[in-house]
Amino acid sequence: MEVGDTITNEQTDEQTDKLSCRECGTESRVRLLSCLHSYCNECIAQHAQDVESELVYCSTCRSNNKVTSNELSGDKVYVADCKNHRVQILNLDGNPLGVIGEHGLYDGQLSHPYDVKVDEQERVYVSDSANFRIQVFSESGDFLFSFGGKGTKEGQLLCPWGLHVTQHSVTVADFKSNNIQVFTPQGEFVRRIKPDKDSESSFTLNNPAGLTGDREGNVVVCDRSSHCIQIFDGEGRFVSRFGTRGSHLGNMKYPTGVVMDRAGNIIVCDAFNHRIQIF
């Protein structure tokens, strides 16, 4: 294969499951060069021949490989590939770097993962929805631990969907149980956010899906089947909601995902209206 040739899906599927650096042996922050030899970010940086032309020398096959600034940056995108029962790891150019998981029910295996988040220690949290649990992996894809389990009691899950991970907590939207649960980063149950049937609660939850949070600790959730966004404070108290079912600006149909930008704008995946809305 010549430098710059296209890498087929079959080749990348075989070679990105468990990559290790050919120079130092690490499995951390490893990527494929166009010659199909794998190196970690640190070794790639050391072998950069020309930063402006973005050429990297491969000591294995002695070829020069063009690497974009996005690849050199080391930034990665983690994608919950639900129907393929895996998490894909890509660079900012969309090139594959690795895969976490395969279809199954044992530790390290996944069934319909809906969301993935990475904490400050680069641990990878995956909502393993059809296995009723959250699984946690190392940056290199090694299984660390899981929490949850099928049920409706505190700490149990029926269909974990959205995740929000901070230094102090992991917040999970449980789609089928119609509640939001908060855990420690180690998976210990902290609290549950759900309507109180015995009080005049000002909110309901109807299939909570994607969620995110802000710097003040508020939780922002897509209340999917209510076609709205709901906001709760760090203690789980209802703060506000916006959106109603419809197709006009500000309306939603089954909002599925939500993030916040640095300015505090709320960006919503308005699924059945086939658009992204910013509030």
Side-chain angles (χ1 to χ4, degrees), residues 102-138:
E102 61 181 4
H103 194 199
L105 53 81
Y106 297 106
D107 289 345
Q109 296 181 323
L110 301 169
S111 184
H112 296 87
Y114 276 146
D115 199 3
V116 55
K117 294 289 167 48
V118 182
D119 70 7
E120 293 180 354
Q121 299 178 42
E122 300 197 11
R123 293 178 298 192
V124 182
Y125 290 76
V126 183
S127 56
D128 188 12
S129 68
N131 285 325
F132 321 105
R133 64 188 177 187
I134 306 301
Q135 292 205 67
V136 186
F137 299 85
S138 69

Side-chain angles (χ1 to χ4, degrees), residues 46-101:
Q46 290 175 8
H47 286 288
Q49 299 294 299
D50 186 334
V51 176
E52 291 186 0
S53 62
E54 299 173 336
L55 290 177
V56 172
Y57 177 72
C58 174
S59 59
T60 302
C61 64
R62 299 181 180 179
S63 65
N64 283 320
N65 297 261
K66 188 171 180 61
V67 180
T68 69
S69 57
N70 283 337
E71 291 175 304
L72 288 173
S73 74
D75 291 332
K76 293 184 286 190
V77 177
Y78 290 79
V79 180
D81 188 2
C82 180
K83 297 297 184 179
N84 282 320
H85 313 287
R86 64 186 181 183
V87 171
Q88 293 204 57
I89 308 171
L90 313 171
N91 65 25
L92 296 185
D93 289 323
N95 297 317
L97 302 178
V99 172
I100 296 175

Side-chain angles (χ1 to χ4, degrees), residues 219-233:
V219 175
V220 182
V221 61
C222 293
D223 195 5
R224 190 172 186 269
S225 295
S226 294
H227 315 284
C228 70
I229 301 298
Q230 298 208 54
I231 302 174
F232 302 87
D233 69 16

Side-chain angles (χ1 to χ4, degrees), residues 185-232:
Q186 293 73 39
E188 299 171 354
F189 176 79
V190 176
R191 75 175 66 89
R192 180 160 56 182
I193 303 172
K194 67 174 186 177
D196 186 350
K197 295 181 181 179
D198 297 326
S199 68
E200 296 182 0
S201 176
S202 57
F203 76 94
T204 60
L205 285 171
N206 193 6
N207 300 137
L211 58 76
T212 188
D214 62 20
R215 295 177 180 176
E216 285 70 45
N218 295 315
V219 175
V220 182
V221 61
C222 293
D223 195 5
R224 190 172 186 269
S225 295
S226 294
H227 315 284
C228 70
I229 301 298
Q230 298 208 54
I231 302 174
F232 302 87

Side-chain angles (χ1 to χ4, degrees), residues 120-170:
E120 293 180 354
Q121 299 178 42
E122 300 197 11
R123 293 178 298 192
V124 182
Y125 290 76
V126 183
S127 56
D128 188 12
S129 68
N131 285 325
F132 321 105
R133 64 188 177 187
I134 306 301
Q135 292 205 67
V136 186
F137 299 85
S138 69
E139 180 193 8
S140 58
D142 296 319
F143 171 80
L144 298 178
F145 62 92
S146 66
F147 57 92
K150 186 176 182 179
T152 58
K153 297 179 180 179
E154 293 181 345
Q156 294 181 326
L157 303 165
L158 281 183
C159 182
W161 191 309
L163 293 171
H164 178 59
V165 178
T166 71
Q167 181 180 357
H168 305 291
S169 66
V170 178

